[in-house]
Amino acid sequence: MNEPSSLTSRVTDLLCEALQIDPPPAEMDLIAAGLLDSIGFMHLFAAMETEFGIGVTAADLSPDRFRSVERIAAFVSAKQEQAGPQAESAEAATPPAAAAPASAETAVLTDPRTGRERRRVAVSGVREVAAAVAECRAAAAGWAAHTPRERARRLLRLADFVEERSAEYVAAEQAGTGKPAAEAAGEVEQCADLLRFYAGALRTGRSPAPGGFLPGRESWVRWEPLGVVGVIVPWNYPLMMAAWRIGPALAAGNTVVLKPALTTPDTALLLARDAAAALGPGVLLTVPGDRDTGRLLVESDVDAVAFTGSETGGRDVVARAGLRRVSLELGGNCPAVVLPDAPPDTCQGLVAAATYNAGQSCASPARVITLRENYEQTVEGLAKAMAERRAGVDFGPLNNADQAARYDRIVARSAARVEHVAPLAPPPGEEDGHWRPGRILADLPADDPAVREEVFAPVLTVQAADDHAEAVALANGVPQALAASVWGARADEVLDLAGQLDAGEVWINCHLEQTAELPHGGRGASGHGTDMSVLALTEYQRPKTVTARVGRS
């Protein structure tokens, strides 16, 4: 058995290597000092398994056990005593230098508010993805075997963790996205609410009622989980998009391997940590990484893939997934049809929706379509409303350098002859972040890049139509068909237009307003499948009809 002083020294060396830090004092509070955060825990646990042969289980996940070098050393010592001399001999037989590293690659993450490096994260490769899928596979039967009541109880506990630790989740969400605190807090609240919704939804009956559909037979339908679901989510709503996918997948009885976007792994790692304690080990695991990590997950031994992201990414997922179940939520490029009798607050409402999350929402309004009689009025109203929304004060930056370059490229190529640009107001010291101003682009051709391509930024184009039919044709004139809105006073007109718009979700006199009870999903190049509502449960289940002979033949 190691002497305490020797073990403390080994733990110190391990921390320095795993976290890339200078040797801390043995009694220092590593968590309070910011040295041991969600990704730090991941690196620490991987290093402990390599160095000491110790696997950290859900029962071990108390932050106090790992708060200082002394406590980590005590934890290691206790684990070694539990394992006995066999563990020590095995450790001696395999020197640490011979063990493979936790990950072959480390990615540098930047703060979108400043453009400066904020942390480094291990990129999950073949070994990490395979191990996560195998662990979820091993846990799948046990998780599916729980009664709906028990699964609901555990999901409610996970929701409690998210809510109780909301400050930590908000900080993590802001670190990766640069969102204002109020936006991040609202999304954390929505995550907890959605988990609670599915905890209740999974206990409701959705099957056809049993009955005698055949002579002398009784039939019923069982809804069974798919098994292990690979979930890949984007960087625009790292936590909320994860909740939209994992909520129904877990409620339906599946285990989940979650792959967050490379730039925003923070809240996904927190979810995996809290899920281990609330749901049990192996039920929800996170594999941080890049696009190659996502491809590895799609091609791994998962039973289904839920992907939220770009159309290009969705096509790649479909090609790699083969015959397995795939659910896709892709781009939006959403239209908003504004009629002459639209409410007075229409322009303010559209600009608020277009700048929420810096316009980085698939369902954000992107293309405003008016009739010719209210075109000039609408352009002026949108310009005035946009001038009052400042990047750096009212909304955050774009997420990454690639997205900022996309904004610059599309705006530079646009042939718009009318352009209104809002002011920029980045906080002091954040001038080098990915800040981009709100823009109104008008008097532009129908095939303008800003119309045909989804800018995914705080940009609104404005087009005029001669009548309702042309307005609908313009609205439906792009490949995407995710969401849309209609603004007007006459119920017959707005309801008729809402029915003609090719979109999975249509708002009337509002935009970008969603709740767990209502389904959300796209058509065409916007993908297929359903997020939210009880309907999303069937995305992660398969029906089995059982027919029994009863009575005499």
Side-chain angles (χ1 to χ4, degrees):
M1 185 65 61
N2 296 294
E3 295 298 324
S5 59
S6 172
L7 186 56
T8 299
S9 176
R10 289 179 65 190
V11 168
T12 300
D13 292 342
L14 179 146
L15 277 169
C16 292
E17 182 176 352
L19 306 183
Q20 299 181 353
I21 60 174
D22 295 328
E27 70 283 355
M28 173 185 281
D29 189 325
L30 301 170
I31 298 175
L35 299 177
L36 196 56
D37 54 14
S38 55
I39 294 180
F41 273 116
M42 180 187 71
H43 290 171
L44 172 63
F45 295 160
M48 286 171 59
E49 184 171 3
T50 299
E51 175 76 7
F52 300 112
I54 291 173
V56 179
T57 68
D60 299 325
L61 291 177
S62 166
D64 286 339
R65 287 196 174 96
F66 310 102
R67 195 169 288 278
S68 67
V69 171
E70 290 179 338
R71 295 189 184 191
I72 296 171
F75 171 76
V76 171
S77 178
K79 279 286 191 178
Q80 289 178 333
E81 289 178 3
Q82 291 174 9
Q86 290 183 347
E88 288 187 67
S89 61
E91 179 188 337
T94 307
S103 179
E105 183 181 348
T106 299
V108 176
L109 307 186
T110 59
D111 186 332
R113 294 166 291 194
T114 64
R116 295 191 291 269
E117 179 179 341
R118 67 182 183 87
R119 74 184 322 161
R120 300 188 178 210
V121 62
V123 175
S124 300
V126 174
R127 190 181 69 176
E128 290 82 8
V129 171
V133 173
E135 187 174 349
C136 278
R137 176 71 63 196
W143 178 249
H146 286 309
T147 62
R149 175 182 178 180
E150 177 60 20
R151 281 206 305 276
R153 186 185 70 80
R154 296 187 184 209
L155 282 170
L156 289 171
R157 184 60 183 139
L158 179 56
D160 287 342
F161 277 144
V162 172
E163 202 163 63
E164 291 163 6
R165 300 164 182 174
S166 61
E168 187 178 5
Y169 276 90
V170 168
E173 192 80 345
Q174 285 190 278
T177 65
K179 297 175 187 282
E183 286 187 16
E187 289 158 27
V188 171
E189 182 181 348
Q190 288 182 54
C191 173
D193 177 70
L194 193 131
L195 291 170
R196 290 198 175 99
F197 172 82
Y198 281 109
L202 75 91
R203 302 184 70 178
T204 64
R206 296 173 307 284
S207 298
F213 300 103
L214 296 167
R217 307 291 186 265
E218 190 72 18
S219 303
W220 61 93
V221 177
R222 291 169 49 94
W223 283 95
E224 299 177 344
L226 302 176
V228 180
V229 178
V231 170
I232 302 173
V233 296
W235 41 256
N236 57 331
Y237 294 104
L239 181 62
M240 196 165 70
M241 294 295 97
W244 281 19
R245 294 301 197 172
I246 70 170
L250 293 170
N254 303 279
T255 54
V256 172
V257 180
L258 171 63
K259 207 294 283 186
L262 177 63
T263 59
T264 54
D266 309 77
T267 44
L269 290 165
L270 295 180
L271 271 177
R273 178 201 67 187
D274 291 340
L279 309 179
V283 177
L284 171 63
L285 298 177
T286 292
V287 285
D290 55 15
R291 291 175 181 173
D292 287 337
T293 305
R295 295 183 182 110
L296 288 170
L297 180 58
V298 174
E299 294 174 344
S300 71
D301 184 31
V302 294
D303 299 292
V305 178
F307 175 83
T308 304
S310 69
E311 179 186 348
T312 300
R315 291 183 183 277
D316 187 63
V317 166
V318 170
R320 294 173 188 274
L323 297 178
R324 290 171 294 168
R325 181 85 66 88
V326 174
S327 179
L328 301 174
E329 200 264 58
L330 310 177
N333 204 9
C334 304
V337 178
V338 178
L339 300 176
D341 60 354
D345 63 350
T346 296
C347 291
Q348 290 83 355
L350 283 171
V351 166
T355 55
Y356 182 82
N357 199 36
Q360 299 170 122
S361 303
C362 291
S364 286
R367 299 177 295 122
V368 176
I369 299 163
T370 76
L371 299 185
R372 298 205 181 276
E373 61 190 277
N374 65 307
Y375 174 75
E376 297 292 343
Q377 174 188 351
T378 303
V379 171
E380 292 175 7
L382 291 172
K384 180 180 178 181
M386 188 65 84
E388 298 172 356
R389 299 284 292 176
R390 294 168 297 163
V393 175
D394 301 297
F395 57 92
L398 300 185
N399 180 259
N400 53 73
D402 288 344
Q403 182 58 23
R406 176 183 176 85
Y407 172 105
D408 295 340
R409 173 179 59 81
I410 295 176
V411 168
R413 290 170 52 209
S414 174
R417 287 183 288 187
V418 174
E419 183 175 12
H420 297 279
V421 184
L424 274 175
E430 298 185 1
E431 292 83 1
D432 294 331
H434 306 309
W435 302 98
R436 292 297 184 274
R439 263 186 164 87
I440 305 297
L441 301 176
D443 195 4
L444 71 183
D447 61 350
D448 192 85
V451 173
R452 302 300 301 176
E453 300 181 48
E454 185 177 18
V455 186
F456 214 58
V459 175
L460 284 170
T461 62
V462 192
Q463 298 170 273
D466 290 332
D467 52 27
H468 288 189
E470 187 182 2
V472 170
L474 288 172
N476 294 342
V478 298
Q480 299 91 349
L482 182 65
S485 61
V486 182
W487 302 73
R490 287 183 52 180
D492 58 339
E493 287 187 341
V494 295
L495 291 175
D496 178 62
L497 287 170
Q500 294 184 62
L501 293 176
D502 186 19
E505 185 169 12
V506 179
W507 293 279
I508 295 175
N509 294 332
C510 58
H511 200 114
L512 205 61
E513 298 187 12
Q514 297 164 317
T515 182
E517 290 85 352
L518 298 175
H520 170 78
R523 305 171 178 181
S526 292
H528 53 73
T530 301
D531 285 323
M532 299 197 293
S533 85
V534 295
L535 299 179
L537 289 168
T538 59
E539 292 286 304
Y540 307 97
Q541 293 176 310
R542 52 191 173 190
K544 176 187 286 183
T545 298
V546 181
T547 297
R549 186 177 69 184
V550 295
R552 296 183 178 180
S553 299

